[in-house]
Amino acid sequence: TAAAAAFGVAVRNTVNAADDMSKAASKIGIPTEELSRLKYAADLSGVSFEGLQGAVGRLSRVMNDAKNGSEGAVDTFKQLGISATNADGSLKSASQVLTEVSSKFASMPDGAEKTALAME
């Protein structure tokens, strides 16, 4: 009986975690599978899931600002040498831009410029 109860609790916790992941993915506009991979990477880096969600949400807002012509947002992406939009003018996915941004940051030397761009 105790083993069955423990198994039931484990299943319920897994279902709840999957539901939370699905809701978070819908909220920030990233497919659940990609968000799960990002969560794993964030966990390895010591970043909380809430912190990850906030960062992706901010990235999405800046991407939208760039699409709508905000000079500051456009300039930030230009400094990184990437675009928030596809050739047809539609927004790229947040996960695609996040991949491009992380590639650029990986090739940049650590310092004030990199930190400033990350903050923007």
Side-chain angles (χ1 to χ4, degrees), residues 40-57:
Y40 178 73
D43 288 343
L44 291 176
S45 302
V47 175
S48 71
F49 187 52
E50 293 78 18
L52 172 65
Q53 291 178 70
V56 173

Side-chain angles (χ1 to χ4, degrees), residues 12-83:
R12 184 183 54 191
N13 288 343
T14 300
V15 169
N16 287 342
D19 184 52
D20 290 344
M21 181 71 66
S22 177
K23 287 176 183 174
S26 293
K27 182 178 176 182
I28 60 176
I30 290 183
T32 305
E33 185 176 314
E34 290 181 40
L35 183 58
S36 179
R37 285 193 298 264
L38 286 172
K39 181 185 182 305
Y40 178 73
D43 288 343
L44 291 176
S45 302
V47 175
S48 71
F49 187 52
E50 293 78 18
L52 172 65
Q53 291 178 70
V56 173
R58 284 188 299 278
L59 174 63
S60 295
R61 281 192 298 277
V62 174
M63 288 169 54
N64 194 54
D65 289 347
K67 181 183 181 219
N68 292 327
S70 167
E71 287 185 37
V74 170
D75 185 52
T76 298
F77 286 111
K78 271 187 187 174
Q79 289 179 52
L80 290 169
I82 63 175
S83 175

Side-chain angles (χ1 to χ4, degrees), residues 68-117:
N68 292 327
S70 167
E71 287 185 37
V74 170
D75 185 52
T76 298
F77 286 111
K78 271 187 187 174
Q79 289 179 52
L80 290 169
I82 63 175
S83 175
T85 57
N86 294 306
D88 66 0
S90 63
L91 270 178
K92 292 179 181 176
S93 70
S95 57
Q96 181 180 359
V97 172
L98 186 58
T99 299
E100 293 176 20
V101 168
S102 63
S103 290
K104 294 295 181 173
F105 282 158
S107 66
M108 292 177 72
D110 290 339
E113 180 182 7
K114 183 177 181 178
T115 302
L117 281 171

